[in-house]
Amino acid sequence: MKNLSAFLFSILDKFMRFIELPTVYLQKKIGVQRMGYLFVAPNMVLFSLFVFLPVGLAIAYAFTGGTNMLIWDRPFIGFENFSRLLNCGSYMDPASCEFDLFWTAIHNTWWYTLLNATGTLVMALITAVVLNRLTKGKALFRSIFFYPVLLSPVVVGLIWKWFLARDGLLNSLVLDLGGERTIFLLEVWWSRFWVVYVSIWFHMGFFTLIILAGLQAIPRDIYEAAKVDGTSEWRQFWRITLPLLTPNLLVVAVLLLIRSVQVFDEAWVLTDGGGPGTANTFIVQFIYQTAFSSEVRLYGLASAASVLMGLALLALTLIQVWLAKKAEY
Amino acid sequence: MAAIQLKNLHKRYESIDVMHHVNVDIEDGEFVALVGPSGCGKSTLLRLISGLEDITSGEILFDGKVVNRLSPAEREIAMVFQSYALYPHMTVKKNLSFGLENLNMDRAIIEERIQKAAKLLDLLPYMDRKPRALSGGQRQRVAIGRAIVRNPKVFLFDEPLSNLDAKLRVQTRGEITKLHKKLNTTMIYVTHDQVEAMTMAEKIVVVNAGKIEQVGKPLDLFERPANRFVAEFIGSPKMNMFKSKITNVSDSGIEVTSNTIDHFCIPVASENAKIGDSVTLGVRPSHIEIAESGIPLEITQLECMGHETFIYGSLKGESEDLVAHLPHHFEAEIGDTIYLRFSSQFMHVFCDKTDQAFKRIES
């Protein structure tokens, strides 16, 4: 071990000696202040290539039509993609829209986001409060709740698909208990319930950790002062813990909203592509299908839907920043 | 107001004993300071009295009633924390009223009480501010205000001045003393700063390693320390100590000899003294006089403050340096030799086996 670290150190030493002269030369040439840009440049190049460029391209595609892949082969059509997506008799009735699947996906994403964000937030809060009160086994339970976060979404989708299948573990348990077999993933409301449930199970651990960190940051003597003040446990939770946890809860809420709007992989695997019918088709799935899995590949329309989704997420983030500033104490 | 008795109080955390069978009586309306070095258990003792920690054995009595199992609120205590522990999301007004709202008190009475406390502590201009918009001293006053509004039987202070700067500390010290005189409520005040304890308290409890070393009035502790720990802890700079041997024992005291002094008679009770026993002599820096002749001291450091002078130096044959405090300006140079005189009536003798002080014969 000592030899290895000595070897690694000697390599590092050689490297530092190697770059010393050019670094000193560059410092003299461009100044110490500007050297910082040079250090972040490699990351910025990759970031631009894989983030800024695709975002820019998606925005550009949103204003073009046709089915050609290359941007320069595509005609500019202005806001037509947007107006077609937004062309609805009534926004409450997807069937009255030109792209009914888009609006069905929006409706589905809306209820999914509402249930998933609320459910995960409440469950993560309860779990964190209970974990925070444990005197023994805190680390063990924290690991148990965090474990699903380490799994790949596809694995999560598959595990639960098998568990909920016609001949899956859950149905055999129900049958053993004298119940009736239910095809959970083929019934609209059951499948929606399980999509939300699996998502809460999958993501809750991560948010529990954020909330737990917030709980542990509340000074112990504030609780002791409350105890001296004769505050009941319930009142202490509502009047002290929750208000002091608000900044953390806001971060969690916004992250949850953003993640919920972006739901795709685990729901796609679990429901075999958003089924039954379009009961679990969400916006990202609509974008994916429109661009890549339909016979006529409408890249422009998919990009316009992406831009609309991006704007919605941007609005949510701005609201979070504004609320976080207000929640500071 | 309440009189407090701690009877055989013991506290153990898992296998570690942190308070050892403590017995203390605190009178109704008394201002008591718990002092001791960091980690000695004084804050633990306060928390046991408050009810924030459970005791392992023993009894805590408020006005003769055992309160071991009562919550802090049921004990009717109020506590001012070292960090102030203000509710950061509430305004000053809300911080003051929160505890009273818990008692489902009438709104008008709450308003009256917080106005009274705010007026007393000069907090009226800050009522709508949150703690982060207050200075350290203002936060401190809010913490005290939060305690006052509850009209508690006992005020508990856990090193409340340690986060303030020196000037504000002196000022707040005076304010708390005034407050005690005005409210006349029992106050227990934890501090590691003996100056705070000496200047504020009517009674001092010296705590060391979970044990009570001595309980007494501030001057008693200074003049008649019960043991070597109290002698060294109380008083600043600390008491000078010399190794010595008993050379004679008589009714008028004991005679000691050390490297510095020869056949020196000190008026302390001699029942437990035997010729040849090792003892430690103690003399406070302020009880040392400069003389024309006497014990020679080579000055190694000199601190002249204008109105007082601290002289540090080494005595021939003594391992520890000596410090003398003169209440006036003294002209000398480092390296000079001066002569000191000790007055036997101000000298303390501690048994080396038990560290206990020999009792002084009062003239």
Side-chain angles (χ1 to χ4, degrees), chain A residues 58 61 85 99 101-103 105-106 109 261-264 268 281-294 296-311 313:
Chain A
Y61 269 84
L85 280 174
F99 283 94
L101 187 60
F102 177 66
W103 284 96
I106 285 185
T109 308
V261 173
Q262 291 172 330
V263 62
F264 175 57
W268 167 272
T281 301
F282 302 109
I283 294 179
V284 178
Q285 188 185 330
F286 167 80
I287 293 167
Y288 166 70
Q289 283 178 347
T290 309
F292 303 111
S293 76
S294 55
V296 183
R297 296 189 168 189
L298 301 169
Y299 302 122
L301 208 67
S303 297
S306 301
V307 169
L308 287 178
M309 195 180 96
L311 288 174
L313 291 179

Side-chain angles (χ1 to χ4, degrees), chain A residues 46-249:
Chain A
L46 288 177
F47 202 70
S48 306
L49 203 64
F50 293 106
V51 178
F52 292 141
L53 186 66
V55 168
L57 275 175
I59 294 171
Y61 269 84
F63 294 95
T64 61
T67 52
N68 285 327
M69 179 76 173
L70 298 172
I71 184 88
W72 46 83
D73 291 338
R74 298 175 60 82
F76 177 76
I77 57 166
F79 284 93
E80 199 184 310
N81 285 325
F82 293 98
S83 59
R84 285 181 73 193
L85 280 174
L86 300 172
N87 182 16
C88 266
S90 159
Y91 291 124
M92 298 310 290
D93 177 19
S96 68
C97 301
E98 186 178 345
F99 283 94
D100 58 337
L101 187 60
F102 177 66
W103 284 96
T104 303
I106 285 185
H107 278 237
N108 288 344
T109 308
W110 162 247
W111 63 252
Y112 169 83
T113 301
L114 190 75
L115 293 177
N116 181 51
T118 317
T120 313
L121 185 69
V122 171
M123 288 307 293
L125 179 63
I126 293 171
T127 315
V129 168
V130 173
L131 280 179
N132 196 37
R133 284 181 163 240
L134 287 183
T135 46
K136 277 180 185 166
K138 197 184 271 188
L140 174 75
F141 284 106
R142 203 170 47 198
S143 311
I144 290 173
F145 283 109
F146 190 73
Y147 180 70
V149 179
L150 304 175
L151 299 174
S152 136
V154 175
V155 171
V156 169
L158 284 175
I159 291 173
W160 282 93
K161 195 172 157 181
W162 294 330
F163 180 72
L164 300 168
R166 191 178 183 281
D167 299 317
L169 191 61
L170 186 60
N171 262 323
S172 67
L173 272 173
V174 170
L175 288 176
D176 282 351
L177 292 170
E180 274 184 37
R181 189 189 299 278
T182 313
I183 318 294
F184 291 109
L185 296 173
L186 289 182
E187 288 188 17
V188 171
W189 290 106
W190 268 121
S191 64
R192 284 177 169 172
F193 166 80
W194 285 111
V195 166
V196 173
Y197 180 88
V198 169
S199 175
I200 293 175
W201 176 87
F202 184 24
H203 298 293
M204 193 187 81
F206 175 71
F207 296 106
T208 299
L209 275 198
I210 298 181
I211 298 174
L212 190 61
L215 283 172
Q216 287 173 350
I218 300 175
R220 198 180 71 156
D221 50 13
I222 289 186
Y223 286 120
E224 290 184 339
K227 213 170 167 187
V228 170
D229 271 344
T231 318
S232 67
E233 294 270 322
W234 193 239
R235 192 168 146 84
Q236 182 179 297
F237 178 75
W238 284 107
R239 300 297 301 275
I240 293 168
T241 308
L242 264 189
L244 293 181
L245 207 55
T246 307
N248 291 62
L249 291 179

